[in-house]
């Protein structure tokens, strides 16, 4: 509620009528927060792990599946038609290809997504049915964000994960876009051509902030999932060392044998201690 009020206030202060510029202004703070999530910082530092990337791809698959379904279903809507570029921007097939590369043909049964991803998808279905013009906010946030950082992030991911080829990195490639900069100019001009009432425009601006918030929540939840996995792996590797047990009947032997056995246990204890570090 507080976020929505802040967005409305900001939107009222903007005099520039270009929708793309208005979205850029109202989401400036959220954009910075998204870039500073632990997951995104891993990309920026060139330290993204294979597990991080696989979890991210799994969530992106769910998000893009719903987003592109709703864009397809509303492709003739006046608020969607101008920014509908499936041949140039569609990500779903590329993500499916990457997931199959990492998980195998049964990847659909193996991927997991956090609750934040499901909430994001629910919202996309809701506005697709009730306010299709709001889809422009999510399409702009996701597609232009991926297009802007695609090539750079793809190279970072490839180097960080030690991949020898571009296999598994199809998500970052936009073969239908010859010039990302020129295409982004075209996309923004199409956005600005969408005819909206004042109420609809404010709704789109609020939805743009909400889109960033959903992405931040997804990034944070994915990192939490990764942290839990790492803790479980550490627990599995930290099993206590079992000391040799002396059968009861062996202790009922001569004093000399008991002394020899005691010395053996002492030596074994020292050896285990050394190799435990």
């Amino acid at each position: 509620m507080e976020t929505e009020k802040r967005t409305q206030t900001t939107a009222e202060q903007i005099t520039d009528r270009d929708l793309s510029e208005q979205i850029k202004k109202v989401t400036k703070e959220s954009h910075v927060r998204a870039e500073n999530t632990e997951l995104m910082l891993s990309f920026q530092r060139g330290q993204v792990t294979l597990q991080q990337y696989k979890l991210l791809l799994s969530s992106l698959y769910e998000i893009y599946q719903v987003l592109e379904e709703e864009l397809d279903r509303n492709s003739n809507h006046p608020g969607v038609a101008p920014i509908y570029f499936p041949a140039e921007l569609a990500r779903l097939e590329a993500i499916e290809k990457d997931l199959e590369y990492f998980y195998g043909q049964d990847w659909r049964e193996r991927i997991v997504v956090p609750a934040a991803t499901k909430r994001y998808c629910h919202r996309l279905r809701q506005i697709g049915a009730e306010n299709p013009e709001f889809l422009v906010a999510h399409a702009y946030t996701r597609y232009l964000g991926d297009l802007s950082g695609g090539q750079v992030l793809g190279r970072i991911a490839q180097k960080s994960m030690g991949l020898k080829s571009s296999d598994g990195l199809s998500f970052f490639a936009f073969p239908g876009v010859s010039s990302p900069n020129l295409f982004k100019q075209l996309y923004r001009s199409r956005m600005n051509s969408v005819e909206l009432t004042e109420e609809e425009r404010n709704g789109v601006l609020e939805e743009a902030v909400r889109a960033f918030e959903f992405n931040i929540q997804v990034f944070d939840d994915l990192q939490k999932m990764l942290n839990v996995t790492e803790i479980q792996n550490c627990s599995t590797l930290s099993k206590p060392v079992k000391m040799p047990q002396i059968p009861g009947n062996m202790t009922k032997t001569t004093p000399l044998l008991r002394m020899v056995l005691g010395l053996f246990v002492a030596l074994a204890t020292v050896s285990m201690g050394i190799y435990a570090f």
Side-chain angles (χ1 to χ4, degrees), residues 197-255:
T197 66
E198 197 65 26
E199 181 180 359
E200 289 172 337
R201 181 176 290 264
N202 286 334
V204 170
L205 296 178
E206 291 172 17
E207 197 64 31
V209 175
R210 189 178 286 111
F212 269 97
E213 294 302 319
F214 274 122
N215 279 284
I216 290 170
Q217 291 171 18
V218 169
F219 296 157
D220 287 342
D221 270 17
L222 288 173
Q223 192 59 46
K224 289 176 185 176
M225 287 176 62
L226 186 66
N227 291 342
V228 170
T229 301
E230 290 176 346
I231 291 173
Q232 290 174 342
N233 290 340
C234 288
S235 298
T236 302
L237 293 173
S238 302
K239 292 181 179 179
V241 178
K242 290 186 177 180
M243 297 304 298
Q245 298 296 316
I246 302 174
N249 61 341
M250 290 290 290
T251 60
K252 299 177 182 179
T253 56
T254 64

Side-chain angles (χ1 to χ4, degrees), residues 166-183:
S166 60
D167 290 339
L169 301 171
S170 299
F171 169 69
F172 296 109
F174 288 81
V177 178
S178 56
S179 171
N181 288 333
L182 289 177
F183 184 83

Side-chain angles (χ1 to χ4, degrees), residues 119-175:
R119 291 195 298 270
Y120 193 173
C121 292
H122 175 76
R123 178 59 182 172
L124 290 172
R125 292 197 186 282
Q126 182 183 24
I127 63 174
E130 300 173 5
N131 303 95
E133 67 275 7
F134 289 2
L135 289 170
V136 67
H138 293 274
Y140 171 82
T141 300
R142 282 253 46 102
Y143 286 126
L144 261 63
D146 295 334
L147 184 60
S148 297
Q151 293 181 335
V152 174
L153 292 179
R155 288 195 292 270
I156 291 174
Q158 183 176 16
K159 184 177 180 180
S160 297
M161 296 184 292
L163 300 177
K164 303 301 182 183
S165 68
S166 60
D167 290 339
L169 301 171
S170 299
F171 169 69
F172 296 109
F174 288 81

Side-chain angles (χ1 to χ4, degrees), residues 49-60:
T49 66
L50 179 59
Q51 188 63 21
Q52 278 179 317
Y53 184 56
K54 288 164 64 176
L55 285 174
L56 177 60
L57 278 179
S58 299
S59 276
L60 289 176

